[in-house]
Amino acid sequence: MSQLLRPVIIALGLTLLWQCIVWTTDAPRYILPGPLSVIATLIEQLPLLLRHAGVTLAEILIGLLLGVVLGLISALSLATWGGLKRWLMPVLVISQAIPVFALAPVLMLWLGYGMASKIAMATLIIYFPVTAACFDGLRQTPTAYLKLARTLGADKRTQLLQIRLPAALPAFGSGLRVAASVAPIGAVVGEWVGSSTGLGYLMLNANARMQVDLMFAALLILALIAVSLYFLIDLIARRLVPWQSDTLNSPTTGRSRSR
Amino acid sequence: MSQLLRPVIIALGLTLLWQCIVWTTDAPRYILPGPLSVIATLIEQLPLLLRHAGVTLAEILIGLLLGVVLGLISALSLATWGGLKRWLMPVLVISQAIPVFALAPVLMLWLGYGMASKIAMATLIIYFPVTAACFDGLRQTPTAYLKLARTLGADKRTQLLQIRLPAALPAFGSGLRVAASVAPIGAVVGEWVGSSTGLGYLMLNANARMQVDLMFAALLILALIAVSLYFLIDLIARRLVPWQSDTLNSPTTGRSRSR
Amino acid sequence: ADKVELLLDWFINPDHGPLIVAQQKGYFAEQGLEVSMVEPADPSMPPKLVAAGKADMAINYQPQLHQQIDEGLPLVRVGTLVATPLNSLVVLKDGPVKSIADLKGRKVGYSVSGFEDALLHAMLEKNGLTLKDIELVNVNWSLSPSLISGQVDAVIGAFRNFELNQMDIEGHPGRAFFVEEEGVPAYDELILVINAKDRGDDRYSRFMKAVEKATQFIVNHPQAAWQSFVSYKPDELDNELNKRAWADTLTRFALRPAALDTERYQRFGEFMQQQGLTKATPSVDTYATAP
Amino acid sequence: MDIRLEHASLHWQQHCVFSDLNLDLPSGLWTSILGQSGVGKSSLLQLLCGIADDAEIGGTLTCSDGKPLSGRVAWMAQDDLLLPWLNVLDNVLLGARLSQKRNVRPEQKELAHYLLSQVGLGDKADVRPSDLSGGQRQRVALARTLFQDRPLVCMDEPFSALDAINRLRLQDLAASLLSERTVLMITHDPLEALRLSDRILVLQGQPARLSNPIEPQGDTPRSVRDEALLHLQGELLTLLAQECA
Amino acid sequence: MDIRLEHASLHWQQHCVFSDLNLDLPSGLWTSILGQSGVGKSSLLQLLCGIADDAEIGGTLTCSDGKPLSGRVAWMAQDDLLLPWLNVLDNVLLGARLSQKRNVRPEQKELAHYLLSQVGLGDKADVRPSDLSGGQRQRVALARTLFQDRPLVCMDEPFSALDAINRLRLQDLAASLLSERTVLMITHDPLEALRLSDRILVLQGQPARLSNPIEPQGDTPRSVRDEALLHLQGELLTLLAQECA
Ligand SMILES: Nc1ncnc2c1ncn2[C@@H]1O[C@H](COP(=O)(O)OP(=O)(O)OP(=O)(O)O)[C@@H](O)[C@H]1O
Ligand SMILES: Nc1ncnc2c1ncn2[C@@H]1O[C@H](COP(=O)(O)OP(=O)(O)OP(=O)(O)O)[C@@H](O)[C@H]1O
Ligand SMILES: [Mg+2]
Ligand SMILES: [Mg+2]
């Protein structure tokens, strides 16, 4: 019951907040439209919005998949070849620091203006947080577990896959969560740089035509996708580490006992 | 010695790779200029580049500071008020998923075209990874520590600050690292939205004029800033957790012993 | 002195010549104005900020002004910077597209302005094609690169004084089809707008006087004007591309920047409505004035 | 202050550890609990300390002075629970660091140093827990518990990782420092229980029940060569062995 | 296979635990080491197992068959080191899971179940380690070590968390399952050492030295009521107490 109610209340609360901002700052409609007119536009233009949202969603999902898989592989490789880290880490950081926008023309040249380049953007954006988080997790494996594994005859690869990896899963979960929340940006930015479909394209177009309502409606859908994605991933990340107790949901937080 | 040599070798290696890409893909100069012409431009335009880099650096640093402080406070609040999390987390995710570009007009409206809006962008971008990582760390505190703290008479606040927070420091370190690597993007994106100074402005401007050499030179400087920042933060993050052993640098990785 | 905060449409380029020269030569100061200029990266922002009262004046494009008025933004045009269209459809000179009719089945790149499909629609119609015959691709900030590299066969939204020179310098000269010769009514490419509540404020009539004086100076002394223009930001403005663009732009500056051709605005407003970009065509004096 | 636990029950998920269990802790006496591994000793201790969070618990806990027990128990866990980010001294001082707003007072620091030297770790004050041996860690945990100065002290196998000599010495130390306190200790060593306790209970069965108390006579710590003690040891061992039959 | 450690030295950072230490582990015999807490027993064990990574080590380790020892030692650590993400059964099977490429064979699974039931945890196979009591965890770790089937078995206080009854039973189990193996055990309980070992050494001093071996006679596991044993126990305790003087 409260599981279903909560999102509704949150949505209503945010809408109210939004409306209040509009009222208090007296923001003109063409900069920050009120929620009501946006929702009206949303309903009116739903087919159009859904069509574009489908494209963006596909880009996000494929980008997320690729980014996570690549990130995981990179983290594992970095952890396997200890020396590699010192050489590759700066490269990874550089790759992260170069704004994807700047790479966009190069990517477009190689991948064209189709979906591939947007997926590449989303992948690029997701890649680093996943790699960094997972690698941090891998390198903080308790030493004693590794010693035990060695006496048990585990070679380096097995140590990595059977000891380090499970021990790093909580950290990997954190990485996944961050990835899930930045993936939509990746796709949308990709669409801004060049495309003819997708929510990012729609937003750019609506913005240029002063259809700010439509732009915010697209934004709303994007936010919805992002939130759903996040909570889905959160669920998966929790499933990954069933042995890890969430000490915030348990009463350990210091409920005082009266008996 | 090797400490000093390594960055040089990496830089040379990357330059070579870059040159090879130029050669093999036969990319035209206006899409991917060769490293030599970029470096020539870099040297030639150094004063201009440095002037803009100074502005960007300031934005990055202030944004990083604000983002980290806000992220830390948010994570602590989320951890303190257990119920808050269920209500606030969706809001945070939404805030992360809305492309800062879309918020730009609103930000501009409130903060104007000055430095404030760029700092706000960088802060926004940094904020979530730090919050998410730190919060994940906080909620995975070993239960037994918390039980102990309770029998020792620690109230909720003390538990949070003295037990949960130190236990979360490794996770916070990971968050810091991600934050450090996205902060430059934040600042640059902020500059794209509106400004007449900073590396982001320079890049966009150079791109519009097809001065791709200059654009890549600016990119180079940005990458340099990003890498320095990352390794500085990495150092700090390591200092934060002196009790945590990095199991990849120790010989635990499975060096076979012959005696 | 009275302050005026002016938001440009984009980074400073030769299109802004009269403004920069007026600033550098002190014509604004002569009029008792202290003008500050801001360069944004998103051309759609400045009119909004002016409409919201966050800045005094902005550079705008006439087609966009019609759309903005239609959406209810309180804006008033007070002057013209460039009195002809600059927009054009550009193809590679040695490419397969020799006429607009050759575009059938090809890709056309554009940088989103909200107006390009109307332009294309009119141009294609004149040549017996429709929008369905081509594929539109948003290439945002890489009009010339995407054309040169063959990602698209033509681009719309390229400025004839700018992109053509750019391509020429890169060794891939282009050919431009001018929109006003292909069925689109003539319009003012760059105009200056203020908030409607400032209508009648005499700062803007003084402002336009200074711009007019600068334009005359440019026409009379192109070389000296060029020097004055680059002196604004020597290390960024003084390059080959700007020099060539400057020469091509000279002839396009409005010689009477404050003057308003009501009939032309009316005609273009009707064109916009006919293309479905606006819902109504209000009378010109509601959104344009000659201060 | 007497403490009385009545009709206590504790379930871990489906598994019932004990139900309807009664326990008296008379004021100022040292009570020891023995019992098979896994019978529920640690669970009982956690119930008393109010930290059996994941378990379903029932029963009433009353103190003779009418006030609640929470905040008046010191708990020494079965694992040492030293915080890895604090050095040994700060781990001993943890109670002071966590419960008071102000900084640690100099006399508290002195007391911590004194306790550390008493448990034989005077020279390890600045070391991190990860650099200690198992027995050393346990001794730090013991010092932390002794530092706490609470009316009721609950200790879960406090000497299990110590060698015979250190064990005797630390038993003496604990006995003298806790002489006025109400103490509940879990141990697997019957002799240890006999040496230190005023009352010895055996927890056994499933669901677990407490046996009648065995009450050795004389002042603690007792000599292990005492005839009466050896007799009681036999009795205890029979009690413990009973269940296996 | 005899194992001989010669001129061994071990330093943790600056701290010298021992230097120039010699240790013989004759083939098929059970050797026990006693010693004060913190004297260096666990360190010595880690040195033998080749996992004293953070320490500076020296000396030579030779096996009588000339091959290196690595890969032929089973190590039971002082803390149980159960992997929290595996259930009890998988923790016991860990050796098989980590060392072989293919899946765990059914007969290995059967063996693991058998060992679990032998240590009294037959019904806990599917439980996560976090749901076990301290003694139960130690028993799982013991089962894992017994499962490993290595020529040299090193155990660090393997029965320390067990009650008297379980302790005796598991000592018997270990003695019968490891009867053919070379065993090195660390313990704090002199009687335990006397019951199980062929040779007992005391590690003492700083830097630590090994005493001459005490060699109880007769088949293991011995009865604790044996007169000769009780005599040796007195001898051992004197040896252990020596250092404190
Ligand atoms: N990782 C480490 N880093 C630094 N010093 C250590 C480390 N491990 C142990 N020591 C030190 O080495 C000495 C010997 O430790 P060791 O664990 O071998 O003792 P032990 O004989 O096993 O004691 P116990 O019976 O308490 O387990 C101790 O003084 C301890 O402080
Ligand atoms: N967190 C838990 N979740 C589920 N079951 C638990 C948990 N902790 C303990 N148990 C179960 O409860 C029973 C009693 O455990 P407890 O720790 O109280 O035993 P104990 O008497 O202290 O044993 P030991 O002497 O081995 O420490 C055991 O069977 C154990 O498996
Ligand atoms: Mg217990
Ligand atoms: Mg030890």
Side-chain angles (χ1 to χ4, degrees):
Chain A
M1 183 59 207
S2 91
Q3 285 286 342
L4 282 173
L5 214 63
R6 196 179 311 126
V8 176
I9 297 181
I10 291 176
L12 282 181
L14 281 179
T15 313
L16 204 71
L17 183 75
W18 178 2
Q19 185 66 61
C20 285
I21 292 180
V22 171
W23 277 330
T24 55
T25 68
D26 214 13
R29 202 183 52 71
Y30 43 86
I31 289 195
L32 185 64
L36 290 183
S37 72
V38 170
I39 291 170
T41 311
L42 179 78
I43 294 168
E44 202 175 295
Q45 301 275 24
L46 202 60
L48 176 75
L49 284 165
L50 286 186
R51 202 174 66 236
H52 287 289
V55 177
T56 305
L57 188 63
E59 291 164 4
I60 292 176
L61 290 182
I62 302 178
L64 194 61
L65 191 74
L66 283 178
V68 167
V69 168
L70 284 180
L72 199 55
I73 292 176
S74 306
L76 285 176
S77 323
L78 283 175
T80 321
W81 296 287
L84 200 67
K85 180 211 146 191
R86 289 201 202 92
W87 298 97
L88 218 59
M89 212 57 198
V91 181
L92 288 184
V93 178
I94 293 177
S95 81
Q96 172 70 4
I98 293 177
V100 276
F101 265 79
L103 289 181
V106 184
L107 280 180
M108 296 291 160
L109 182 72
W110 289 337
L111 301 173
Y113 283 100
M115 208 162 179
S117 49
K118 271 116 250 169
I119 293 174
M121 293 267 180
T123 309
L124 265 180
I125 283 198
I126 292 159
Y127 173 70
F128 188 79
V130 174
T131 310
C134 199
F135 179 64
D136 269 7
L138 287 174
R139 73 189 203 186
Q140 286 163 6
T141 325
T143 333
Y145 291 166
L146 293 170
K147 290 183 176 178
L148 176 71
R150 263 160 61 198
T151 68
L152 286 169
D155 54 22
K156 254 176 149 177
R157 204 176 129 269
T158 317
Q159 277 179 41
L160 189 69
L161 294 180
Q162 304 249 32
I163 309 286
R164 281 187 193 275
L165 196 60
L169 281 183
F172 177 57
S174 305
L176 263 190
R177 274 183 268 262
V178 172
S181 70
V182 295
I185 301 191
V188 166
V189 164
E191 284 166 3
W192 271 335
V193 173
S195 68
S196 27
T197 44
L199 286 177
Y201 163 82
L202 197 66
M203 280 163 63
L204 207 59
N205 227 344
N207 184 43
R209 292 205 178 138
M210 296 284 144
Q211 300 169 322
V212 192
D213 293 354
L214 184 61
M215 177 175 121
F216 272 77
L219 209 57
L220 222 58
I221 293 204
L222 191 71
L224 210 70
I225 292 182
V227 173
S228 321
L229 195 68
Y230 179 87
F231 285 99
L232 192 76
I233 294 276
D234 188 50
L235 205 75
I236 296 175
R238 250 171 241 255
R239 284 280 155 81
L240 275 180
V241 280
W243 68 90
Q244 182 107 35
S245 60
D246 183 336
T247 51
L248 287 177
N249 288 339
S250 78
T252 320
T253 16
R255 173 169 65 107
S256 76
R257 278 293 220 319
S258 58
R259 261 180 307 170
Chain B
M1 184 58 206
S2 91
Q3 285 287 342
L4 281 173
L5 215 61
R6 194 178 314 127
V8 176
I9 297 180
I10 292 177
L12 282 181
L14 282 180
T15 313
L16 203 71
L17 183 76
W18 177 1
Q19 185 66 61
C20 286
I21 292 180
V22 172
W23 277 330
T24 55
T25 66
D26 213 14
R29 204 186 56 75
Y30 50 87
I31 287 195
L32 186 63
L36 290 183
S37 73
V38 169
I39 290 169
T41 311
L42 180 77
I43 294 167
E44 202 176 295
Q45 301 275 28
L46 203 59
L48 176 74
L49 285 165
L50 285 186
R51 201 175 65 233
H52 288 291
V55 177
T56 305
L57 189 63
E59 290 164 5
I60 292 176
L61 291 182
I62 301 178
L64 194 62
L65 191 73
L66 283 179
V68 167
V69 169
L70 285 181
L72 199 58
I73 292 177
S74 308
L76 285 176
S77 322
L78 284 176
T80 318
W81 297 288
L84 200 67
K85 180 211 146 192
R86 289 201 200 94
W87 298 97
L88 218 59
M89 212 59 197
V91 181
L92 288 185
V93 177
I94 292 177
S95 82
Q96 173 69 4
I98 293 179
V100 275
F101 264 78
L103 289 180
V106 184
L107 281 181
M108 293 288 146
L109 188 68
W110 292 336
L111 301 174
Y113 272 107
M115 206 163 181
S117 50
K118 272 121 251 169
I119 293 174
M121 294 270 175
T123 308
L124 267 180
I125 286 194
I126 290 160
Y127 173 70
F128 190 77
V130 175
T131 309
C134 201
F135 179 64
D136 269 8
L138 287 175
R139 72 189 203 187
Q140 286 162 6
T141 323
T143 334
Y145 290 167
L146 293 171
K147 290 183 176 177
L148 176 71
R150 262 161 61 200
T151 68
L152 286 169
D155 54 23
K156 256 176 149 177
R157 203 176 129 267
T158 317
Q159 278 179 40
L160 187 70
L161 294 180
Q162 304 248 30
I163 308 287
R164 282 188 192 275
L165 195 61
L169 281 182
F172 177 57
S174 305
L176 263 190
R177 274 183 270 263
V178 172
S181 71
V182 295
I185 301 190
V188 166
V189 164
E191 285 167 3
W192 275 339
V193 172
S195 77
S196 341
T197 45
L199 288 177
Y201 156 80
L202 199 65
M203 281 164 62
L204 207 59
N205 197 357
N207 183 47
R209 297 198 181 139
M210 282 188 97
Q211 300 170 327
V212 191
D213 294 354
L214 184 61
M215 178 176 121
F216 273 76
L219 210 57
L220 222 58
I221 294 203
L222 191 70
L224 210 70
I225 292 181
V227 173
S228 320
L229 194 67
Y230 180 87
F231 286 98
L232 191 76
I233 294 277
D234 189 49
L235 206 75
I236 295 175
R238 250 171 239 255
R239 283 279 157 81
L240 276 181
V241 281
W243 67 91
Q244 183 108 35
S245 59
D246 183 335
T247 52
L248 287 176
N249 287 340
S250 79
T252 322
T253 15
R255 174 169 64 107
S256 74
R257 278 293 219 320
S258 59
R259 258 181 308 168
Chain C
D2 295 320
K3 289 197 163 82
V4 173
E5 191 184 17
L6 169 64
L7 304 182
L8 304 181
D9 62 320
W10 181 244
F11 305 126
I12 290 176
N13 61 60
D15 295 344
H16 305 132
L19 298 172
I20 306 297
V21 170
Q23 180 82 313
Q24 294 303 93
K25 289 259 154 205
Y27 298 157
F28 287 137
E30 276 172 17
Q31 297 289 340
L33 295 174
E34 193 184 323
V35 177
S36 58
M37 291 188 257
V38 177
E39 308 166 61
D42 175 5
S44 73
M45 271 306 290
K48 285 189 201 169
L49 287 177
V50 167
K54 292 287 162 180
D56 301 315
M57 202 176 199
I59 294 191
N60 204 353
Y61 310 103
Q62 193 193 330
Q64 270 73 6
L65 177 65
H66 290 284
Q67 285 180 312
Q68 286 151 1
I69 298 298
D70 198 50
E71 289 290 334
L73 272 70
L75 292 174
V76 175
R77 170 270 182 211
V78 290
T80 301
L81 213 50
V82 173
T84 69
L86 292 175
N87 211 331
S88 50
L89 182 86
V90 174
V91 299
L92 285 177
K93 193 167 226 159
D94 46 7
V97 182
K98 301 295 177 206
S99 73
I100 291 186
D102 291 339
L103 280 179
K104 193 174 168 64
R106 294 185 187 274
K107 279 188 191 157
V108 180
Y110 67 101
S111 173
V112 174
S113 66
F115 174 54
E116 48 288 315
D117 42 354
L119 283 180
L120 269 176
H121 183 256
M123 293 171 84
L124 292 172
E125 200 174 31
K126 182 162 179 270
N127 290 278
L129 296 178
T130 68
L131 278 176
K132 293 212 163 43
D133 292 318
I134 59 164
E135 185 185 337
L136 271 172
V137 180
N138 159 34
V139 300
N140 217 344
W141 293 321
S142 8
L143 284 176
S144 338
S146 61
L147 182 59
I148 299 177
S149 63
Q151 294 277 340
V152 293
D153 304 294
V155 290
I156 183 81
F159 278 12
R160 54 195 72 164
N161 57 339
F162 205 76
E163 263 80 5
L164 280 182
N165 283 314
Q166 201 169 51
M167 293 171 67
D168 205 45
I169 292 173
E170 291 302 330
H172 294 268
R175 174 208 307 275
F177 298 97
F178 302 123
V179 295
E180 66 275 22
E181 293 173 1
E182 302 286 344
V184 179
Y187 59 89
D188 296 350
E189 189 68 62
L190 292 184
I191 58 177
L192 288 157
V193 296
I194 58 168
N195 193 300
K197 75 172 166 33
D198 288 342
R199 202 176 183 138
D201 189 328
D202 83 318
R203 277 183 299 166
Y204 304 108
S205 56
R206 284 185 275 149
F207 186 97
M208 293 321 298
K209 282 202 188 89
V211 172
E212 181 169 356
K213 189 170 177 192
T215 311
Q216 279 164 6
F217 179 80
I218 292 172
V219 174
N220 293 339
H221 311 281
Q223 202 47 43
W226 164 250
Q227 292 307 337
S228 156
F229 173 71
V230 294
S231 70
Y232 188 73
K233 278 188 175 181
D235 47 0
E236 288 172 44
L237 295 175
D238 193 4
N239 57 38
E240 173 71 13
L241 176 60
N242 276 347
K243 198 175 273 173
R244 291 168 77 158
W246 180 261
D248 284 355
T249 315
L250 277 184
T251 53
R252 300 190 176 269
F253 291 131
L255 291 173
R256 297 168 57 218
L260 171 66
D261 186 341
T262 312
E263 199 180 323
R264 199 160 105 157
Y265 271 71
Q266 184 66 30
R267 202 184 321 129
F268 198 76
E270 279 157 14
F271 171 76
M272 291 291 285
Q273 187 180 9
Q274 186 190 330
Q275 292 292 330
L277 289 172
T278 56
K279 296 181 284 292
T281 311
S283 112
V284 174
D285 59 356
T286 59
Y287 61 86
T289 175
Chain D
M1 163 189 78
D2 296 349
I3 291 151
R4 159 164 287 175
L5 180 66
E6 282 173 315
H7 307 300
S9 69
L10 188 147
H11 298 247
W12 292 111
Q13 287 109 23
Q14 268 53 268
H15 176 63
C16 169
V17 178
F18 50 76
S19 68
D20 201 18
L21 185 123
N22 297 314
L23 173 68
D24 270 331
L25 298 177
S27 173
L29 295 192
W30 185 306
T31 308
S32 290
I33 294 185
L34 280 91
Q36 283 225 345
S37 164
V39 76
K41 304 179 295 298
S42 301
S43 306
L44 178 59
L45 213 69
Q46 292 194 26
L47 175 69
L48 262 176
C49 296
I51 48 176
D53 295 321
D54 306 330
E56 246 174 78
I57 53 178
T60 52
L61 184 67
T62 45
C63 302
S64 58
D65 61 0
K67 282 183 272 180
L69 185 59
S70 86
R72 297 195 287 172
V73 204
W75 175 56
M76 178 173 169
Q78 195 165 359
D79 9 325
D80 43 69
L81 291 189
L82 302 185
L83 299 181
W85 55 88
L86 296 180
N87 66 18
V88 165
L89 182 68
D90 285 334
N91 262 294
V92 174
L93 282 167
L94 195 63
R97 290 172 57 108
L98 291 186
S99 64
Q100 66 201 27
K101 300 279 163 255
R102 284 155 303 115
N103 276 345
V104 173
R105 291 190 299 273
E107 68 265 27
Q108 290 181 315
K109 226 170 198 158
E110 220 164 273
L111 174 61
H113 272 295
Y114 168 74
L115 286 171
L116 273 179
S117 71
Q118 284 297 304
V119 300
L121 294 173
D123 56 336
K124 297 270 183 190
D126 299 328
V127 164
R128 282 194 196 285
S130 58
D131 292 358
L132 294 182
S133 78
Q136 287 170 338
R137 292 173 65 96
Q138 196 172 40
R139 284 183 273 163
V140 176
L142 181 67
R144 178 169 66 193
T145 311
L146 294 176
F147 177 87
Q148 267 189 268
D149 189 35
R150 294 276 171 90
L152 174 63
V153 178
C154 292
M155 301 192 288
D156 203 341
E157 307 185 22
F159 309 110
S160 65
L162 298 181
D163 56 291
I165 308 301
N166 268 308
R167 185 182 284 224
L168 284 177
R169 201 165 47 201
L170 291 189
Q171 284 171 358
D172 293 348
L173 178 71
S176 78
L177 288 180
L178 299 176
S179 58
E180 303 292 290
R181 303 290 150 80
T182 314
V183 177
L184 180 64
M185 175 175 83
I186 293 175
T187 179
H188 285 312
D189 183 348
L191 262 184
E192 182 169 283
L194 288 166
R195 211 173 160 245
L196 296 172
S197 323
D198 303 302
R199 303 169 72 240
I200 302 176
L201 303 165
V202 174
L203 190 69
Q204 54 192 359
Q206 200 187 10
R209 293 156 291 105
L210 280 170
S211 69
N212 287 329
I214 292 178
E215 305 190 337
Q217 298 305 311
D219 281 353
T220 55
R222 305 185 183 89
S223 158
V224 278
R225 304 193 189 276
D226 189 331
E227 264 308 309
L229 270 203
L230 289 178
H231 175 73
L232 282 176
Q233 185 185 7
E235 200 173 307
L236 248 181
L237 282 173
T238 342
L239 240 173
L240 284 169
Q242 251 177 29
E243 194 172 5
C244 305
Chain E
M1 166 190 80
D2 297 347
I3 290 149
R4 158 163 288 175
L5 181 66
E6 281 172 316
H7 306 300
S9 68
L10 188 147
H11 298 248
W12 292 109
Q13 287 107 23
Q14 268 52 269
H15 177 63
C16 168
V17 179
F18 50 77
S19 68
D20 200 19
L21 186 123
N22 297 313
L23 174 67
D24 270 331
L25 298 177
S27 173
L29 293 192
W30 185 307
T31 307
S32 290
I33 294 186
L34 281 91
Q36 284 225 345
S37 163
V39 77
K41 303 178 296 296
S42 301
S43 307
L44 178 60
L45 212 70
Q46 294 195 25
L47 175 70
L48 262 175
C49 297
I51 48 175
D53 294 321
D54 307 329
E56 247 174 77
I57 53 177
T60 53
L61 185 66
T62 45
C63 302
S64 58
D65 61 359
K67 281 185 273 180
L69 184 61
S70 85
R72 297 194 288 172
V73 204
W75 174 57
M76 177 171 168
Q78 192 164 0
D79 13 324
D80 43 70
L81 290 188
L82 302 185
L83 299 182
W85 55 88
L86 297 179
N87 66 19
V88 164
L89 182 68
D90 285 334
N91 263 294
V92 174
L93 282 167
L94 195 64
R97 291 170 57 108
L98 291 186
S99 64
Q100 67 203 25
K101 301 278 164 253
R102 287 155 302 114
N103 275 346
V104 173
R105 291 189 300 273
E107 67 266 28
Q108 290 180 315
K109 226 171 197 157
E110 222 164 89
L111 174 62
H113 272 295
Y114 168 75
L115 285 171
L116 273 180
S117 71
Q118 284 297 306
V119 300
L121 294 173
D123 55 337
K124 298 270 183 190
D126 299 328
V127 164
R128 283 195 193 286
S130 58
D131 291 357
L132 294 182
S133 79
Q136 288 169 337
R137 293 173 64 98
Q138 195 173 42
R139 284 182 273 164
V140 176
L142 180 68
R144 177 170 68 194
T145 311
L146 295 175
F147 177 88
Q148 266 189 268
D149 190 34
R150 293 277 171 88
L152 175 62
V153 178
C154 291
M155 301 192 287
D156 203 342
E157 308 185 21
F159 309 110
S160 63
L162 298 181
D163 58 290
I165 309 300
N166 268 309
R167 185 181 285 222
L168 284 177
R169 199 163 52 202
L170 291 188
Q171 284 171 359
D172 293 349
L173 178 73
S176 79
L177 288 178
L178 298 176
S179 60
E180 303 293 288
R181 303 290 150 80
T182 313
V183 178
L184 180 64
M185 174 175 83
I186 293 176
T187 178
H188 284 311
D189 183 350
L191 263 184
E192 181 170 282
L194 288 166
R195 210 171 164 250
L196 296 171
S197 325
D198 303 302
R199 303 167 72 242
I200 301 176
L201 303 166
V202 174
L203 191 69
Q204 53 193 358
Q206 198 186 10
R209 294 155 290 105
L210 280 170
S211 68
N212 288 329
I214 292 177
E215 304 190 336
Q217 298 304 313
D219 280 353
T220 57
R222 303 185 186 89
S223 157
V224 279
R225 302 191 190 276
D226 189 331
E227 265 307 308
L229 270 201
L230 289 179
H231 176 73
L232 280 176
Q233 185 186 9
E235 200 173 306
L236 248 181
L237 281 174
T238 344
L239 239 174
L240 283 169
Q242 248 176 33
E243 195 174 3
C244 305

